[in-house]
Amino acid sequence: MLLVMFTRTVFLRLRRSKAKRFLSKITGVLGRQSHRVFRSSPKASLPRIEYLHGYEGARPRVPWPAFPPPQYLNQLEDSFQTSLADDRAFITQEDCIFYHTAVLPNGEVISGPWDLRGREAEYLGGVRLAGRRILEFGPATGHLTYFMEKHGADVVCFEAGWDRSVDLLPSPDVDPSWAQMDAMRYIGATQNSWWFLHREYQSRTRMVYGDIYRLPADLGQFDVATFGAILLHLENPFAALAQAAKRVTSELVVTEPLQDEKSDPLLNRIEFAPQDVQYTTHWWSLSPGAVVRMLERLGFGETSVTYHVQKHHFGHDLTQPAGDMKMYTVVARRLEA
């Protein structure tokens, strides 16, 4: 095996005819066999790395994929959070994609496709925030993150990162590894906006990256977990809810778009790949009844469903006026044993 690896390296540096003669002299039959193996083997693609944070030429820039800490542990330590912030301290607005409309401390408004201002409490189902420890999944730009922090919550956010990509619908015509890179370039720029606001607001909220289907063991317990329009983007939404349920002592909050008002929204119904797009992160359309049923199975049997409208630029086209996106929020409380 070592000899084969060596011969491949030699072939990358020598012309084919010279390489064959060279190998024949030093290895005889074995060398010629190695040469044939190399000629017949598929070409390995070079590893590709995307730099998610920072404009071209900026240093330091944060790569994806990157090596995570062992088992994704110890990310909540103050020193680790400081290192995450320091690595991204140079981020400017130009490095960011703002998923939410944001207002900076100086009053400047930065527009995003989702404008949740003034409707945050409805989005979160009216759940109590002050003095509570909250785990927020998929914060994007973080408008809800900093709203909850402002209202007295101790917030920990969880995002895809390190070596974990967001879930992508497969397509027979698309190389999944390259599609992941393209998706994570966008996700990285959105994560930039979270860190940009984290610095602007002088926030104490902590960020953890990893696998939503296998949360780090040292996250601890939370009073509340929130899923803000996240389940539709997950290959296995129930598995993600199950992970959160193990760490929540009181309430799980799930907000999703209301896809079909004509039928009873409390029907237990899930639609796969509701948008006819070749490659997308939109896996599911979930009715409120389906979410309620999932949460009941996880021990959160006291549920309430509320409906609200959020301002949204459809297609993320900020050149067009924002429209009304009808949404629902399920607040599920853990039943006492």
Side-chain angles (χ1 to χ4, degrees), residues 50-63 87-97 185 188-193 195:
E50 288 292 346
Y51 288 93
L52 303 183
H53 305 276
Y55 54 85
E56 187 67 29
R59 292 292 185 271
R61 295 194 297 156
V62 180
D87 287 343
R88 297 155 176 83
F90 62 90
I91 288 172
T92 67
Q93 286 190 40
E94 288 70 30
D95 302 316
C96 302
I97 292 176
R185 186 189 303 114
T190 304
Q191 291 175 356
N192 282 350
S193 68
W195 282 103

PDB file of all heavy atoms in Angstrom, residues 50-63 87-97 185 188-193 195:
ATOM      1  N   GLU A  50     -14.058  26.351   2.058  1.00  0.00           N
ATOM      2  CA  GLU A  50     -14.653  27.679   1.927  1.00  0.00           C
ATOM      3  C   GLU A  50     -14.296  28.486   3.173  1.00  0.00           C
ATOM      4  O   GLU A  50     -14.346  27.975   4.289  1.00  0.00           O
ATOM      5  CB  GLU A  50     -16.181  27.582   1.804  1.00  0.00           C
ATOM      6  CG  GLU A  50     -16.677  27.045   0.480  1.00  0.00           C
ATOM      7  CD  GLU A  50     -16.413  28.008  -0.667  1.00  0.00           C
ATOM      8  OE1 GLU A  50     -16.095  29.174  -0.407  1.00  0.00           O
ATOM      9  OE2 GLU A  50     -16.520  27.567  -1.818  1.00  0.00           O
ATOM     10  N   TYR A  51     -13.961  29.751   2.953  1.00  0.00           N
ATOM     11  CA  TYR A  51     -13.722  30.643   4.083  1.00  0.00           C
ATOM     12  C   TYR A  51     -14.995  31.430   4.317  1.00  0.00           C
ATOM     13  O   TYR A  51     -15.381  32.287   3.517  1.00  0.00           O
ATOM     14  CB  TYR A  51     -12.523  31.538   3.816  1.00  0.00           C
ATOM     15  CG  TYR A  51     -11.229  30.772   3.880  1.00  0.00           C
ATOM     16  CD1 TYR A  51     -10.671  30.222   2.746  1.00  0.00           C
ATOM     17  CD2 TYR A  51     -10.606  30.559   5.106  1.00  0.00           C
ATOM     18  CE1 TYR A  51      -9.500  29.481   2.811  1.00  0.00           C
ATOM     19  CE2 TYR A  51      -9.427  29.826   5.184  1.00  0.00           C
ATOM     20  CZ  TYR A  51      -8.883  29.290   4.034  1.00  0.00           C
ATOM     21  OH  TYR A  51      -7.734  28.558   4.108  1.00  0.00           O
ATOM     22  N   LEU A  52     -15.659  31.105   5.412  1.00  0.00           N
ATOM     23  CA  LEU A  52     -17.009  31.603   5.631  1.00  0.00           C
ATOM     24  C   LEU A  52     -17.036  33.017   6.169  1.00  0.00           C
ATOM     25  O   LEU A  52     -18.020  33.728   5.988  1.00  0.00           O
ATOM     26  CB  LEU A  52     -17.737  30.683   6.618  1.00  0.00           C
ATOM     27  CG  LEU A  52     -17.815  29.204   6.219  1.00  0.00           C
ATOM     28  CD1 LEU A  52     -18.621  28.438   7.260  1.00  0.00           C
ATOM     29  CD2 LEU A  52     -18.439  29.040   4.855  1.00  0.00           C
ATOM     30  N   HIS A  53     -16.025  33.414   6.854  1.00  0.00           N
ATOM     31  CA  HIS A  53     -16.056  34.678   7.576  1.00  0.00           C
ATOM     32  C   HIS A  53     -14.968  35.606   7.054  1.00  0.00           C
ATOM     33  O   HIS A  53     -13.790  35.318   7.176  1.00  0.00           O
ATOM     34  CB  HIS A  53     -15.867  34.449   9.083  1.00  0.00           C
ATOM     35  CG  HIS A  53     -16.854  33.492   9.655  1.00  0.00           C
ATOM     36  ND1 HIS A  53     -18.114  33.878  10.058  1.00  0.00           N
ATOM     37  CD2 HIS A  53     -16.796  32.167   9.859  1.00  0.00           C
ATOM     38  CE1 HIS A  53     -18.776  32.827  10.503  1.00  0.00           C
ATOM     39  NE2 HIS A  53     -17.987  31.782  10.398  1.00  0.00           N
ATOM     40  N   GLY A  54     -15.382  36.696   6.449  1.00  0.00           N
ATOM     41  CA  GLY A  54     -14.410  37.695   6.023  1.00  0.00           C
ATOM     42  C   GLY A  54     -14.271  37.798   4.528  1.00  0.00           C
ATOM     43  O   GLY A  54     -14.349  36.818   3.812  1.00  0.00           O
ATOM     44  N   TYR A  55     -14.071  39.017   4.056  1.00  0.00           N
ATOM     45  CA  TYR A  55     -13.895  39.248   2.634  1.00  0.00           C
ATOM     46  C   TYR A  55     -12.561  38.676   2.164  1.00  0.00           C
ATOM     47  O   TYR A  55     -11.673  38.351   2.949  1.00  0.00           O
ATOM     48  CB  TYR A  55     -13.969  40.746   2.324  1.00  0.00           C
ATOM     49  CG  TYR A  55     -13.012  41.586   3.147  1.00  0.00           C
ATOM     50  CD1 TYR A  55     -11.693  41.775   2.753  1.00  0.00           C
ATOM     51  CD2 TYR A  55     -13.428  42.188   4.331  1.00  0.00           C
ATOM     52  CE1 TYR A  55     -10.815  42.524   3.496  1.00  0.00           C
ATOM     53  CE2 TYR A  55     -12.548  42.944   5.092  1.00  0.00           C
ATOM     54  CZ  TYR A  55     -11.253  43.108   4.676  1.00  0.00           C
ATOM     55  OH  TYR A  55     -10.393  43.844   5.440  1.00  0.00           O
ATOM     56  N   GLU A  56     -12.414  38.530   0.873  1.00  0.00           N
ATOM     57  CA  GLU A  56     -11.212  37.929   0.306  1.00  0.00           C
ATOM     58  C   GLU A  56      -9.961  38.699   0.732  1.00  0.00           C
ATOM     59  O   GLU A  56      -9.888  39.915   0.581  1.00  0.00           O
ATOM     60  CB  GLU A  56     -11.308  37.914  -1.222  1.00  0.00           C
ATOM     61  CG  GLU A  56     -10.185  37.148  -1.888  1.00  0.00           C
ATOM     62  CD  GLU A  56     -10.248  35.667  -1.599  1.00  0.00           C
ATOM     63  OE1 GLU A  56     -11.368  35.154  -1.387  1.00  0.00           O
ATOM     64  OE2 GLU A  56      -9.180  35.028  -1.581  1.00  0.00           O
ATOM     65  N   GLY A  57      -8.997  37.992   1.287  1.00  0.00           N
ATOM     66  CA  GLY A  57      -7.753  38.609   1.713  1.00  0.00           C
ATOM     67  C   GLY A  57      -7.722  38.983   3.182  1.00  0.00           C
ATOM     68  O   GLY A  57      -6.666  39.290   3.716  1.00  0.00           O
ATOM     69  N   ALA A  58      -8.883  38.979   3.851  1.00  0.00           N
ATOM     70  CA  ALA A  58      -8.909  39.332   5.268  1.00  0.00           C
ATOM     71  C   ALA A  58      -8.306  38.196   6.092  1.00  0.00           C
ATOM     72  O   ALA A  58      -8.448  37.029   5.767  1.00  0.00           O
ATOM     73  CB  ALA A  58     -10.332  39.606   5.725  1.00  0.00           C
ATOM     74  N   ARG A  59      -7.648  38.552   7.169  1.00  0.00           N
ATOM     75  CA  ARG A  59      -7.096  37.558   8.080  1.00  0.00           C
ATOM     76  C   ARG A  59      -7.385  37.991   9.511  1.00  0.00           C
ATOM     77  O   ARG A  59      -7.304  39.172   9.826  1.00  0.00           O
ATOM     78  CB  ARG A  59      -5.570  37.437   7.897  1.00  0.00           C
ATOM     79  CG  ARG A  59      -5.184  36.823   6.555  1.00  0.00           C
ATOM     80  CD  ARG A  59      -5.587  35.339   6.473  1.00  0.00           C
ATOM     81  NE  ARG A  59      -5.115  34.720   5.254  1.00  0.00           N
ATOM     82  CZ  ARG A  59      -5.777  34.699   4.122  1.00  0.00           C
ATOM     83  NH1 ARG A  59      -6.965  35.281   4.055  1.00  0.00           N
ATOM     84  NH2 ARG A  59      -5.288  34.112   3.056  1.00  0.00           N
ATOM     85  N   PRO A  60      -7.711  37.027  10.375  1.00  0.00           N
ATOM     86  CA  PRO A  60      -7.916  35.626  10.046  1.00  0.00           C
ATOM     87  C   PRO A  60      -9.283  35.390   9.420  1.00  0.00           C
ATOM     88  O   PRO A  60     -10.203  36.172   9.641  1.00  0.00           O
ATOM     89  CB  PRO A  60      -7.842  34.948  11.419  1.00  0.00           C
ATOM     90  CG  PRO A  60      -8.378  35.966  12.348  1.00  0.00           C
ATOM     91  CD  PRO A  60      -7.909  37.291  11.811  1.00  0.00           C
ATOM     92  N   ARG A  61      -9.398  34.332   8.632  1.00  0.00           N
ATOM     93  CA  ARG A  61     -10.689  33.921   8.111  1.00  0.00           C
ATOM     94  C   ARG A  61     -10.984  32.516   8.618  1.00  0.00           C
ATOM     95  O   ARG A  61     -10.080  31.708   8.773  1.00  0.00           O
ATOM     96  CB  ARG A  61     -10.688  33.955   6.579  1.00  0.00           C
ATOM     97  CG  ARG A  61     -10.528  35.355   6.023  1.00  0.00           C
ATOM     98  CD  ARG A  61     -10.877  35.400   4.557  1.00  0.00           C
ATOM     99  NE  ARG A  61      -9.970  34.572   3.766  1.00  0.00           N
ATOM    100  CZ  ARG A  61     -10.284  34.055   2.589  1.00  0.00           C
ATOM    101  NH1 ARG A  61     -11.488  34.233   2.096  1.00  0.00           N
ATOM    102  NH2 ARG A  61      -9.416  33.343   1.910  1.00  0.00           N
ATOM    103  N   VAL A  62     -12.258  32.214   8.848  1.00  0.00           N
ATOM    104  CA  VAL A  62     -12.635  30.963   9.484  1.00  0.00           C
ATOM    105  C   VAL A  62     -13.063  29.966   8.413  1.00  0.00           C
ATOM    106  O   VAL A  62     -14.002  30.225   7.675  1.00  0.00           O
ATOM    107  CB  VAL A  62     -13.782  31.185  10.486  1.00  0.00           C
ATOM    108  CG1 VAL A  62     -14.172  29.876  11.150  1.00  0.00           C
ATOM    109  CG2 VAL A  62     -13.361  32.208  11.536  1.00  0.00           C
ATOM    110  N   PRO A  63     -12.385  28.814   8.306  1.00  0.00           N
ATOM    111  CA  PRO A  63     -12.692  27.867   7.224  1.00  0.00           C
ATOM    112  C   PRO A  63     -13.860  26.952   7.560  1.00  0.00           C
ATOM    113  O   PRO A  63     -14.201  26.737   8.729  1.00  0.00           O
ATOM    114  CB  PRO A  63     -11.398  27.059   7.114  1.00  0.00           C
ATOM    115  CG  PRO A  63     -10.878  27.041   8.518  1.00  0.00           C
ATOM    116  CD  PRO A  63     -11.232  28.386   9.104  1.00  0.00           C
ATOM    117  N   ASP A  87     -11.894  35.529  16.678  1.00  0.00           N
ATOM    118  CA  ASP A  87     -11.679  35.087  15.304  1.00  0.00           C
ATOM    119  C   ASP A  87     -12.550  35.853  14.317  1.00  0.00           C
ATOM    120  O   ASP A  87     -12.246  35.926  13.122  1.00  0.00           O
ATOM    121  CB  ASP A  87     -11.974  33.591  15.168  1.00  0.00           C
ATOM    122  CG  ASP A  87     -10.901  32.726  15.802  1.00  0.00           C
ATOM    123  OD1 ASP A  87      -9.797  33.247  16.060  1.00  0.00           O
ATOM    124  OD2 ASP A  87     -11.177  31.534  16.045  1.00  0.00           O
ATOM    125  N   ARG A  88     -13.642  36.432  14.814  1.00  0.00           N
ATOM    126  CA  ARG A  88     -14.596  37.111  13.949  1.00  0.00           C
ATOM    127  C   ARG A  88     -14.687  38.604  14.245  1.00  0.00           C
ATOM    128  O   ARG A  88     -15.610  39.285  13.787  1.00  0.00           O
ATOM    129  CB  ARG A  88     -15.973  36.460  14.116  1.00  0.00           C
ATOM    130  CG  ARG A  88     -15.990  34.999  13.675  1.00  0.00           C
ATOM    131  CD  ARG A  88     -17.086  34.204  14.359  1.00  0.00           C
ATOM    132  NE  ARG A  88     -17.146  32.827  13.868  1.00  0.00           N
ATOM    133  CZ  ARG A  88     -16.374  31.834  14.303  1.00  0.00           C
ATOM    134  NH1 ARG A  88     -15.461  32.058  15.257  1.00  0.00           N
ATOM    135  NH2 ARG A  88     -16.492  30.622  13.803  1.00  0.00           N
ATOM    136  N   ALA A  89     -13.725  39.116  14.994  1.00  0.00           N
ATOM    137  CA  ALA A  89     -13.791  40.511  15.443  1.00  0.00           C
ATOM    138  C   ALA A  89     -13.677  41.505  14.294  1.00  0.00           C
ATOM    139  O   ALA A  89     -14.097  42.655  14.414  1.00  0.00           O
ATOM    140  CB  ALA A  89     -12.693  40.770  16.480  1.00  0.00           C
ATOM    141  N   PHE A  90     -13.096  41.079  13.160  1.00  0.00           N
ATOM    142  CA  PHE A  90     -12.869  41.981  12.030  1.00  0.00           C
ATOM    143  C   PHE A  90     -14.087  42.107  11.123  1.00  0.00           C
ATOM    144  O   PHE A  90     -14.074  42.890  10.174  1.00  0.00           O
ATOM    145  CB  PHE A  90     -11.695  41.468  11.193  1.00  0.00           C
ATOM    146  CG  PHE A  90     -11.958  40.110  10.602  1.00  0.00           C
ATOM    147  CD1 PHE A  90     -12.546  39.987   9.358  1.00  0.00           C
ATOM    148  CD2 PHE A  90     -11.641  38.959  11.315  1.00  0.00           C
ATOM    149  CE1 PHE A  90     -12.807  38.741   8.821  1.00  0.00           C
ATOM    150  CE2 PHE A  90     -11.902  37.718  10.777  1.00  0.00           C
ATOM    151  CZ  PHE A  90     -12.490  37.608   9.536  1.00  0.00           C
ATOM    152  N   ILE A  91     -15.156  41.336  11.376  1.00  0.00           N
ATOM    153  CA  ILE A  91     -16.306  41.280  10.470  1.00  0.00           C
ATOM    154  C   ILE A  91     -16.961  42.650  10.338  1.00  0.00           C
ATOM    155  O   ILE A  91     -17.182  43.356  11.326  1.00  0.00           O
ATOM    156  CB  ILE A  91     -17.337  40.256  10.985  1.00  0.00           C
ATOM    157  CG1 ILE A  91     -16.805  38.837  10.795  1.00  0.00           C
ATOM    158  CG2 ILE A  91     -18.679  40.403  10.268  1.00  0.00           C
ATOM    159  CD1 ILE A  91     -17.660  37.771  11.450  1.00  0.00           C
ATOM    160  N   THR A  92     -17.251  43.019   9.104  1.00  0.00           N
ATOM    161  CA  THR A  92     -17.977  44.254   8.814  1.00  0.00           C
ATOM    162  C   THR A  92     -19.314  43.890   8.170  1.00  0.00           C
ATOM    163  O   THR A  92     -19.590  42.730   7.863  1.00  0.00           O
ATOM    164  CB  THR A  92     -17.177  45.144   7.856  1.00  0.00           C
ATOM    165  OG1 THR A  92     -17.104  44.502   6.568  1.00  0.00           O
ATOM    166  CG2 THR A  92     -15.765  45.399   8.387  1.00  0.00           C
ATOM    167  N   GLN A  93     -20.135  44.904   7.925  1.00  0.00           N
ATOM    168  CA  GLN A  93     -21.433  44.666   7.282  1.00  0.00           C
ATOM    169  C   GLN A  93     -21.257  44.012   5.912  1.00  0.00           C
ATOM    170  O   GLN A  93     -22.100  43.217   5.486  1.00  0.00           O
ATOM    171  CB  GLN A  93     -22.202  45.973   7.133  1.00  0.00           C
ATOM    172  CG  GLN A  93     -22.783  46.511   8.425  1.00  0.00           C
ATOM    173  CD  GLN A  93     -23.731  47.668   8.174  1.00  0.00           C
ATOM    174  OE1 GLN A  93     -24.514  47.663   7.232  1.00  0.00           O
ATOM    175  NE2 GLN A  93     -23.662  48.692   9.024  1.00  0.00           N
ATOM    176  N   GLU A  94     -20.179  44.348   5.226  1.00  0.00           N
ATOM    177  CA  GLU A  94     -19.952  43.806   3.891  1.00  0.00           C
ATOM    178  C   GLU A  94     -19.717  42.294   3.914  1.00  0.00           C
ATOM    179  O   GLU A  94     -19.859  41.618   2.893  1.00  0.00           O
ATOM    180  CB  GLU A  94     -18.761  44.497   3.231  1.00  0.00           C
ATOM    181  CG  GLU A  94     -19.038  45.934   2.807  1.00  0.00           C
ATOM    182  CD  GLU A  94     -19.188  46.880   3.989  1.00  0.00           C
ATOM    183  OE1 GLU A  94     -18.555  46.621   5.050  1.00  0.00           O
ATOM    184  OE2 GLU A  94     -19.957  47.853   3.880  1.00  0.00           O
ATOM    185  N   ASP A  95     -19.342  41.750   5.064  1.00  0.00           N
ATOM    186  CA  ASP A  95     -19.119  40.318   5.193  1.00  0.00           C
ATOM    187  C   ASP A  95     -20.394  39.548   5.523  1.00  0.00           C
ATOM    188  O   ASP A  95     -20.354  38.334   5.656  1.00  0.00           O
ATOM    189  CB  ASP A  95     -18.105  40.037   6.314  1.00  0.00           C
ATOM    190  CG  ASP A  95     -16.776  40.716   6.085  1.00  0.00           C
ATOM    191  OD1 ASP A  95     -16.286  40.675   4.945  1.00  0.00           O
ATOM    192  OD2 ASP A  95     -16.234  41.295   7.048  1.00  0.00           O
ATOM    193  N   CYS A  96     -21.511  40.258   5.673  1.00  0.00           N
ATOM    194  CA  CYS A  96     -22.711  39.668   6.253  1.00  0.00           C
ATOM    195  C   CYS A  96     -23.862  39.549   5.260  1.00  0.00           C
ATOM    196  O   CYS A  96     -23.999  40.374   4.345  1.00  0.00           O
ATOM    197  CB  CYS A  96     -23.203  40.528   7.429  1.00  0.00           C
ATOM    198  SG  CYS A  96     -22.002  40.757   8.753  1.00  0.00           S
ATOM    199  N   ILE A  97     -24.674  38.529   5.473  1.00  0.00           N
ATOM    200  CA  ILE A  97     -26.017  38.456   4.917  1.00  0.00           C
ATOM    201  C   ILE A  97     -26.973  38.545   6.095  1.00  0.00           C
ATOM    202  O   ILE A  97     -26.921  37.709   7.010  1.00  0.00           O
ATOM    203  CB  ILE A  97     -26.247  37.151   4.137  1.00  0.00           C
ATOM    204  CG1 ILE A  97     -25.390  37.129   2.871  1.00  0.00           C
ATOM    205  CG2 ILE A  97     -27.724  36.988   3.774  1.00  0.00           C
ATOM    206  CD1 ILE A  97     -25.483  35.827   2.096  1.00  0.00           C
ATOM    207  N   ARG A 185     -21.390  28.531   2.366  1.00  0.00           N
ATOM    208  CA  ARG A 185     -20.925  29.894   2.102  1.00  0.00           C
ATOM    209  C   ARG A 185     -22.022  30.904   2.479  1.00  0.00           C
ATOM    210  O   ARG A 185     -21.757  31.922   3.104  1.00  0.00           O
ATOM    211  CB  ARG A 185     -20.541  30.056   0.636  1.00  0.00           C
ATOM    212  CG  ARG A 185     -19.907  31.414   0.334  1.00  0.00           C
ATOM    213  CD  ARG A 185     -19.723  31.652  -1.149  1.00  0.00           C
ATOM    214  NE  ARG A 185     -18.921  30.610  -1.775  1.00  0.00           N
ATOM    215  CZ  ARG A 185     -19.387  29.764  -2.677  1.00  0.00           C
ATOM    216  NH1 ARG A 185     -20.659  29.817  -3.057  1.00  0.00           N
ATOM    217  NH2 ARG A 185     -18.596  28.868  -3.215  1.00  0.00           N
ATOM    218  N   GLY A 188     -22.516  30.763   6.290  1.00  0.00           N
ATOM    219  CA  GLY A 188     -21.426  31.461   6.962  1.00  0.00           C
ATOM    220  C   GLY A 188     -21.611  32.964   6.960  1.00  0.00           C
ATOM    221  O   GLY A 188     -21.346  33.640   7.954  1.00  0.00           O
ATOM    222  N   ALA A 189     -22.055  33.522   5.829  1.00  0.00           N
ATOM    223  CA  ALA A 189     -22.289  34.961   5.764  1.00  0.00           C
ATOM    224  C   ALA A 189     -23.438  35.374   6.674  1.00  0.00           C
ATOM    225  O   ALA A 189     -23.434  36.471   7.247  1.00  0.00           O
ATOM    226  CB  ALA A 189     -22.575  35.379   4.326  1.00  0.00           C
ATOM    227  N   THR A 190     -24.428  34.487   6.833  1.00  0.00           N
ATOM    228  CA  THR A 190     -25.515  34.759   7.769  1.00  0.00           C
ATOM    229  C   THR A 190     -25.011  34.684   9.200  1.00  0.00           C
ATOM    230  O   THR A 190     -25.379  35.513  10.043  1.00  0.00           O
ATOM    231  CB  THR A 190     -26.668  33.763   7.551  1.00  0.00           C
ATOM    232  OG1 THR A 190     -27.093  33.811   6.194  1.00  0.00           O
ATOM    233  CG2 THR A 190     -27.856  34.106   8.441  1.00  0.00           C
ATOM    234  N   GLN A 191     -24.167  33.695   9.487  1.00  0.00           N
ATOM    235  CA  GLN A 191     -23.568  33.619  10.825  1.00  0.00           C
ATOM    236  C   GLN A 191     -22.714  34.850  11.116  1.00  0.00           C
ATOM    237  O   GLN A 191     -22.632  35.303  12.265  1.00  0.00           O
ATOM    238  CB  GLN A 191     -22.741  32.344  10.949  1.00  0.00           C
ATOM    239  CG  GLN A 191     -23.575  31.080  10.957  1.00  0.00           C
ATOM    240  CD  GLN A 191     -22.738  29.818  10.970  1.00  0.00           C
ATOM    241  OE1 GLN A 191     -21.509  29.870  10.900  1.00  0.00           O
ATOM    242  NE2 GLN A 191     -23.393  28.665  11.040  1.00  0.00           N
ATOM    243  N   ASN A 192     -22.083  35.394  10.078  1.00  0.00           N
ATOM    244  CA  ASN A 192     -21.347  36.640  10.262  1.00  0.00           C
ATOM    245  C   ASN A 192     -22.247  37.728  10.845  1.00  0.00           C
ATOM    246  O   ASN A 192     -21.825  38.510  11.703  1.00  0.00           O
ATOM    247  CB  ASN A 192     -20.801  37.143   8.923  1.00  0.00           C
ATOM    248  CG  ASN A 192     -19.569  36.397   8.471  1.00  0.00           C
ATOM    249  OD1 ASN A 192     -18.994  35.622   9.209  1.00  0.00           O
ATOM    250  ND2 ASN A 192     -19.172  36.632   7.237  1.00  0.00           N
ATOM    251  N   SER A 193     -23.478  37.817  10.345  1.00  0.00           N
ATOM    252  CA  SER A 193     -24.380  38.869  10.819  1.00  0.00           C
ATOM    253  C   SER A 193     -24.707  38.682  12.295  1.00  0.00           C
ATOM    254  O   SER A 193     -24.879  39.669  13.030  1.00  0.00           O
ATOM    255  CB  SER A 193     -25.652  38.909   9.971  1.00  0.00           C
ATOM    256  OG  SER A 193     -26.457  37.755  10.155  1.00  0.00           O
ATOM    257  N   TRP A 195     -22.648  37.381  14.538  1.00  0.00           N
ATOM    258  CA  TRP A 195     -21.473  37.827  15.289  1.00  0.00           C
ATOM    259  C   TRP A 195     -21.286  39.340  15.182  1.00  0.00           C
ATOM    260  O   TRP A 195     -20.817  39.982  16.140  1.00  0.00           O
ATOM    261  CB  TRP A 195     -20.225  37.102  14.789  1.00  0.00           C
ATOM    262  CG  TRP A 195     -20.141  35.707  15.320  1.00  0.00           C
ATOM    263  CD1 TRP A 195     -20.419  34.549  14.647  1.00  0.00           C
ATOM    264  CD2 TRP A 195     -19.774  35.316  16.645  1.00  0.00           C
ATOM    265  NE1 TRP A 195     -20.246  33.466  15.471  1.00  0.00           N
ATOM    266  CE2 TRP A 195     -19.849  33.902  16.698  1.00  0.00           C
ATOM    267  CE3 TRP A 195     -19.391  36.019  17.781  1.00  0.00           C
ATOM    268  CZ2 TRP A 195     -19.550  33.194  17.862  1.00  0.00           C
ATOM    269  CZ3 TRP A 195     -19.088  35.314  18.936  1.00  0.00           C
ATOM    270  CH2 TRP A 195     -19.166  33.917  18.966  1.00  0.00           C
TER     271      TRP A 195
END
